[in-house]
């Protein structure tokens, strides 16, 4: 079991470029989440999904889009990257809304 | 946006000492309270998920209590060991949404 994996691990983008972060889980979890981690702040929820084909906004969704076409994958897209999106992005999954979350290793994104 | 506060922000204790941290949260919209342990260069790992007022959970030397009416949870570590050094996060779960505190960074000095 790989658990939760994230691709890529690191990325540098220029302002205005686009990219997609991939999260994959092999635990057959229904729920998946995308968070960002910034210095001095707690993990903040960007978007989440409660099942294949569903997505919903979290606390800080602006500037991001997501898709959950397959149960095991949750994609986070940045259409036009901004320096304010420089952050470490974590994906997580869980079996239910109140269940413990399993986190991926994170993706460090720098937007110059 | 719901405010989840953790105190202290950081803590240094001697090996063998017992310690505790606090997580405060708004008691409205409560569904569950999560505790995670986050070691440097790793990902957060779940310690406890607590749902009932008065809940007490234990895992080895680590335990947690929950008071949903007054909106706080305590995490206790008995006989701290160097391997307990990590950041401890709490998160308020309001159903599908999660609101994390900024964590308590624990350093256990051998």
């Amino acid at each position: 079991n790989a658990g939760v994996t994230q691709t890529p691990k690191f990325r540098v983008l220029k302002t205005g470029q686009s990219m997609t972060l991939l999260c994959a889980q092999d635990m057959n979890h229904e729920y998946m989440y995308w968070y960002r981690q910034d210095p001095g702040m707690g993990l903040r929820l960007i978007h989440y999904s409660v099942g294949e084909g569903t997505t919903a906004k979290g606390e800080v969704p602006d500037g991001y889009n997501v898709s959950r076409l397959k149960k095991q994958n949750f994609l986070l897209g940045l259409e036009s990257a901004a320096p304010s999106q420089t952050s470490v992005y974590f994906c997580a999954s869980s079996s239910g809304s109140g269940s413990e979350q399993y986190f991926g290793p994170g993706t460090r994104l720098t937007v110059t | 946006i719901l405010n989840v506060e953790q105190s202290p922000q950081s803590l240094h204790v001697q090996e063998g000492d017992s310690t505790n941290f606090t997580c405060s949260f708004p008691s409205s919209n409560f569904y569950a309270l999560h505790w995670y342990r986050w070691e440097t260069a790793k990902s957060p790992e779940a310690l406890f998920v607590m749902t009932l007022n008065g809940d007490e959970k234990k895992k080895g030397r680590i335990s947690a209590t929950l008071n949903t009416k007054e909106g706080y949870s305590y995490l206790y570590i008995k006989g701290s060991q160097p391997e307990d050094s990590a950041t401890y996060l709490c998160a308020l779960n309001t159903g599908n949404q999660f609101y994390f505190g900024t964590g308590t960074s624990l350093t256990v000095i051998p």
Side-chain angles (χ1 to χ4, degrees):
Chain A
N1 265 1
V4 180
T5 59
Q6 292 182 232
T7 310
K9 288 186 169 50
F10 304 93
R11 185 73 186 268
V12 178
L13 285 181
K14 293 187 177 179
T15 297
Q17 287 186 318
S18 64
M19 80 163 293
T20 301
L21 281 66
L22 171 64
C23 176
Q25 53 94 5
D26 60 4
M27 296 174 282
N28 202 35
H29 284 168
E30 291 292 337
Y31 287 63
M32 296 187 75
Y33 310 85
W34 275 108
Y35 293 93
R36 59 178 290 171
Q37 169 73 57
D38 300 298
M41 305 189 79
L43 289 163
R44 290 184 293 168
L45 184 63
I46 304 171
H47 284 280
Y48 64 94
S49 168
V50 301
E52 181 178 319
T54 74
T55 63
K57 294 180 180 180
E59 185 182 350
V60 289
D62 294 343
Y64 305 95
N65 57 73
V66 287
S67 64
R68 184 99 181 267
L69 298 179
K70 293 182 179 181
K71 187 177 184 178
Q72 63 268 35
N73 295 339
F74 195 29
L75 278 62
L76 178 72
L78 287 73
E79 288 188 349
S80 179
S84 60
Q85 294 178 304
T86 293
S87 189
V88 181
Y89 292 86
F90 285 94
C91 175
S93 71
S94 71
S95 57
S97 62
S99 303
E100 62 185 13
Q101 295 186 35
Y102 293 80
F103 283 84
T107 294
R108 184 173 294 276
L109 175 66
T110 302
V111 183
T112 61
Chain B
I1 297 174
L2 300 179
N3 198 28
V4 176
E5 296 185 351
Q6 292 189 247
S7 63
Q9 192 171 15
S10 66
L11 194 55
H12 289 72
V13 301
Q14 291 292 138
E15 182 176 352
D17 286 352
S18 295
T19 188
N20 63 85
F21 328 131
T22 304
C23 174
S24 301
F25 54 88
S27 51
S28 58
N29 299 315
F30 177 87
Y31 186 81
L33 193 284
H34 293 221
W35 281 100
Y36 291 85
R37 170 193 160 89
W38 195 356
E39 291 182 72
T40 303
K42 293 187 177 181
S43 306
E45 291 184 352
L47 286 172
F48 305 112
V49 177
M50 309 178 80
T51 56
L52 299 175
N53 184 44
D55 229 358
E56 290 190 31
K57 296 216 171 180
K58 187 175 181 182
K59 186 181 286 189
R61 294 179 291 100
I62 305 177
S63 61
T65 61
L66 177 67
N67 184 321
T68 59
K69 294 183 178 178
E70 296 183 36
Y72 65 83
S73 176
Y74 294 139
L75 188 79
Y76 301 91
I77 302 180
K78 186 177 178 181
S80 303
Q81 300 296 308
E83 57 264 30
D84 295 330
S85 296
T87 296
Y88 292 83
L89 303 175
C90 69
L92 172 66
N93 175 204
T94 60
N96 291 330
Q97 300 263 9
F98 282 81
Y99 299 90
F100 278 79
T102 54
T104 292
S105 174
L106 173 67
T107 303
V108 181
I109 303 164

